[in-house]
Amino acid sequence: MFDLYNFQFYSISRHFEPAFLTTLILDLANYLLVLSIFFFLFKNNKITINLFILIIFLLATPFFFNGFLFDWTFFPDQSKYVNHTRNLRTEIFTNTSCMSYISQEYYCNSPSNNKITSVGYFYALSPIISFETFKSLAFWNRGIFLLTLVYFINKNILKKNLLLLFLFFPSLILFTSLSLRESPIIVLMLLYIYFFYNKKYFLCFICIALLYTTKAQNVLILLFASYVIYILEGTKFKTNFFLISLIVITPILIFFFQDIFILANGFRKGLFAEEFGQYKSVSSGYVYDLNYSINNFNLNTYKIIFLSFFEFLISPMKNLSSSFKILLVFENIVLYAFIIRAFFKAYKIDKKVFYSWIIISIFGLWMYSIFLFNDAQIHRYKTPVIFFIILGLSLGLQKRKINQ
């Protein structure tokens, strides 16, 4: 039955690549097209010759993943994005029935399809020449990420160790070198926090609007971060604003308290079933209700929430079933060491920035820890949040130094 299910799924949404030589030519064309953007920046003195040479290699990372280090099925969602973008590009430039096509063939009243369509427009309207290979979107993803770093370098906000981390951190290279939506998500979150600290609120709004169509739950992290920064990081604590917001928000939370918990528990149970149920265990629903449910706000729920947060942070340490997971553990150790060092530095320099980003970090990571059970999903969802925290903490300290 599982094989039949897979066959039905892939027969609808799987994208098939051309022959190897054709694939290589198309990938090289996309690579050179994106590289030409950086060449233009180099010729206009926006980047140095050393940085341009480095980008030549960094932009080529998509060549080393799909079809080389692992098959595209390692991240099967890529097929949906490639196939959908290719069809959107065809409809946009060859038909007048694009909206009808989208609504009839792809929306199907499914929120996940809506998100694919939204980010599909971003790819379909990009300068990428062809969407026939699994690496096609990856070159544009890699390009926009590196363009964002070039923008930050020109603004002089990525320095020394921070720049090296953003350029060479393995998971960041991986997720920005695949045909997934992670790269736009990471870029929008990083740009938002930069614009917010620089009081460019219209650009903040654009980032939020675009992120909402791509990954709406991350908008909550951005809004919460903005609230905390505004309250804590000014010249003095915004007591009146804090009290007013507390008076407004508290009754709403109390009134919808049970509904929020039922909704959260439903999402959590669905993701639990994906990981441990479906074709793995017929009793997964019963197991969840008995041991993992957060339907009632009691001592057991507190325990589950705390343990979920802890397991989220240390994932995949509890289940080292592959060499890839072992590498992730070492990567996490390096990343957490960097973050802890950064927070110690922040505590010495400015305690307001330290406390605000501790609160933001707990909220951003806790929000996902409640729902996720799969190690790969945890790592994929955790990466954008962590690098948002790292850049935000650095920006907060830089702004405080400028204002002093």
Side-chain angles (χ1 to χ4, degrees), residues 1 43 111 115-116 172 190 196 204 333 341 397 399:
M1 187 175 180
K43 295 298 288 184
K115 292 176 183 178
I116 294 170
L172 209 51
L190 297 181
F196 184 80
C204 286
I333 291 171
R341 183 175 177 271
L397 293 177
K399 284 299 172 184

Side-chain angles (χ1 to χ4, degrees), residues 337-352:
F338 184 93
I339 294 172
I340 291 169
R341 183 175 177 271
F343 271 111
F344 269 117
K345 180 181 177 182
Y347 185 80
K348 293 177 182 178
I349 296 174
D350 193 300
K351 291 182 175 59
K352 288 182 179 179

Side-chain angles (χ1 to χ4, degrees), residues 333-393:
I333 291 171
V334 173
L335 186 59
Y336 287 151
F338 184 93
I339 294 172
I340 291 169
R341 183 175 177 271
F343 271 111
F344 269 117
K345 180 181 177 182
Y347 185 80
K348 293 177 182 178
I349 296 174
D350 193 300
K351 291 182 175 59
K352 288 182 179 179
V353 175
F354 169 81
Y355 286 121
S356 68
W357 280 98
I358 283 287
I359 294 169
I360 294 165
S361 301
I362 292 171
F363 176 82
L365 297 173
W366 166 81
M367 189 183 80
Y368 276 119
S369 70
I370 296 174
F371 300 102
L372 300 178
F373 298 91
N374 179 276
D375 288 324
Q377 274 188 324
I378 288 172
H379 190 65
R380 182 177 169 184
Y381 288 19
K382 183 166 61 175
T383 299
V385 177
I386 285 182
F387 280 92
F388 168 76
I389 292 165
I390 290 172
L391 181 65
L393 180 63

Side-chain angles (χ1 to χ4, degrees), residues 84-104:
H84 196 74
T85 301
R86 184 166 57 91
N87 289 330
L88 271 177
R89 168 70 71 87
T90 302
E91 288 297 318
I92 289 170
F93 291 104
T94 63
N95 256 304
T96 57
S97 58
C98 184
M99 292 309 298
S100 174
Y101 166 80
I102 293 167
S103 62
Q104 291 179 23

Side-chain angles (χ1 to χ4, degrees), residues 244-305:
I244 292 170
S245 60
L246 205 62
I247 291 169
V248 172
I249 294 172
T250 302
I252 296 173
L253 289 178
I254 292 173
F255 185 79
F256 292 105
F257 188 77
Q258 193 62 37
D259 292 331
I260 292 170
F261 258 82
I262 292 172
L263 185 65
N265 192 61
F267 281 120
R268 178 178 162 86
K269 188 173 184 178
L271 289 166
F272 181 88
E274 279 186 18
E275 178 63 10
F276 301 107
Q278 302 287 337
Y279 302 97
K280 297 180 181 180
S281 171
V282 294
S283 62
S284 64
Y286 173 75
V287 171
Y288 176 85
D289 292 335
L290 187 65
N291 299 307
Y292 297 95
S293 176
I294 57 170
N295 229 353
N296 299 310
F297 205 63
N298 50 32
L299 187 61
N300 187 57
T301 297
Y302 278 115
K303 179 184 174 182
I304 290 171
I305 290 173

